[in-house]
Amino acid sequence: MSSVRAEFPIFSRTSRGKPLTYLDSGATTQKPQVVIDAELGFYEGWNANIHRGVYEFSERATMAYDGTRDTVAEFLGGVRADEIVFVRGTTEAINLVAHSYLKPKMTPGATVLVTEMEHHANIIPWQLVGATLKAIPVTDAGELDLQAAERMLGEGPLLLAVTHVSNTLGTINPIAELAAMAKRHGVPVLVDGAQAVGHFPVDLTTLGVDFYCFSGHKLFGPTGVGVLWGRHELLEAMPPFQGGGDMIDRVTFERSTFAASPQRFEAGTPNIAGVIGLDAAIRWLSAQDRPALERLDAELLAAGYEMLEQVPGLRFIARPASQVGVLTFTMDGAHPHDIASILDSEGVCIRAGHHCTQPLHARFGVPASARASFGPYTTEQDLLTLTRGLLKVRELFG
Amino acid sequence: MATMDEMYQTLIIEHDRSPRNFKALEAPTHHAEGRNPLCGDEVSLDLRLDADGRIAEVGFQGQGCAVSKASASMMTTAIQGKTVDEAMALFDSFHAMLTGKTADKEILGKLKAFEGLAVYPMRVKCATMAWHVLKESLGASRES
Ligand SMILES: Cc1ncc(COP(=O)(O)O)c(C=O)c1O
């Protein structure tokens, strides 16, 4: 057992009576003990609301909550702490930008440029504020067509909204290159980093983008907490997303004024325990040997491709040149849900369906696929168990 | 009770490979279609009721997982010759069995083979989809 894996208590459990083979980190990652302890410790030891009390626990909670902005800012390459907005997750971050940044700029027929590989969370929020979507095509290899991107950026979109890493194919998109292109065309850029931040370091001081967002739960942290980073001058110019406590400057029945960002975007009591857990998760990840984790991910991916290639009738949706540890495939004669159910009976957890990327599945002409996605605790044994399960599927479905 | 594995081995794969009544009807008296937006499964159902109100002929088509296909296939044989009320009673028992409620298992016959699915709630929807479409095609009020 690798030392990283030993820090995740869930791996001592069984699933359907079999040792747990967890290959669904793309959906959510497992949590190391330090994250569990951080949340538990807060509730057991010093639970209080923030920004409201002068007593010890409230002060401590407030310090921990706001202090996490520093942890996140450093994690993202050393951006300003007041550019970190706590949200519920990637989905809420994108909805916030759609509502507070894009909507005031909307004119009839205005477009947002997305890509064919976007998660529904980076599609629907733009549609909800009335934007027309155009999508940068994906090649057969599962990569963005950069020539098309250049041309489409020249067609005057209000925003480029693109994922850093595809949750379905694992593709790592060339964000710095796209951002430079967008800059030449004067188009601001939002990046969905949900699948990126847990896999490799991200430096927002050099990436050249305007908004970046991610979810805590895909980063070894709790669910219900995430981050929106935005350039200070953009955030400062944006109206609030939701109204309520904690986001105000002065309130009267005639008119209210609002706090500066990031507080302006954090109405109501936030997920305090979640933010404290996120702080622990980021500290945990930052303390790991990240180049070693990236090498491990690449080695397992190569091994996984090799093993799965031996399964008759298995086809990968695409095989991008640069990708994180994700294997996405279909099998002749076996529906992804059946594949997942048969694997489940072996204790193997994978995702089956469209993974919230229906347009991408339509692009590849399949209604659904099966996806095995890795985390830093994934082992070669997991991949062997997966392969054995898939051979059993093959045997059953003939 | 059969595990998922055993259900696949004994029942599901058999019907997936050679589904019964997998066809469109020439002159259906009733028709409905259903879709599970979560997994993209689709089923289209044709029925012909005779003068006595019995289900004289059934045909289904669609695409989806083996569980949904097997369940649709078994449904078509189970409801053949039944009245609308009898078919709905069958659905009620089938649904009750899969959602862990007390069910009249006697009337279920071969459909009892799906009993083990009750512990896999995510797959219950696959097994009940064709039945929901049946209900809709017969114009019965929707519930559950
Ligand atoms: C690429 C991508 N974007 C957005 C999301 C949405 O994240 P969340 O559900 O945490 O808001 C996900 C997670 O499924 C994702 O993989």
Side-chain angles (χ1 to χ4, degrees), chain A residues 89-91 119 121 163 167 192 194-195 215 217-218:
Chain A
T90 309
T91 302
H119 187 281
T163 194
N167 66 309
D192 170 351
Q195 297 289 343
S215 303
H217 71 99
K218 294 184 200 281

Side-chain angles (χ1 to χ4, degrees), chain B residues 29 83 120 127 138 141:
Chain B
T29 55
T83 65
Y120 302 93
L138 292 171
S141 69

Side-chain angles (χ1 to χ4, degrees), chain A residues 251-324:
Chain A
V251 177
T252 67
F253 285 120
E254 288 69 42
R255 149 168 208 282
S256 301
T257 53
F258 309 116
S261 63
Q263 279 74 26
R264 186 188 307 159
F265 302 107
E266 296 179 6
T269 300
N271 184 354
I272 303 166
V275 166
I276 288 166
L278 178 65
D279 187 272
I282 291 176
R283 286 174 194 276
W284 176 82
L285 182 59
S286 302
Q288 304 303 309
D289 180 348
R290 301 205 66 188
L293 290 183
E294 281 180 67
R295 274 197 306 279
L296 177 71
D297 194 58
E299 281 165 22
L300 287 173
L301 183 66
Y305 270 122
E306 226 168 84
M307 287 183 211
L308 266 52
E309 271 166 0
Q310 308 305 315
V311 179
L314 184 147
R315 296 166 210 270
F316 298 107
I317 301 285
R319 218 170 145 164
S322 173
Q323 71 160 108
V324 301

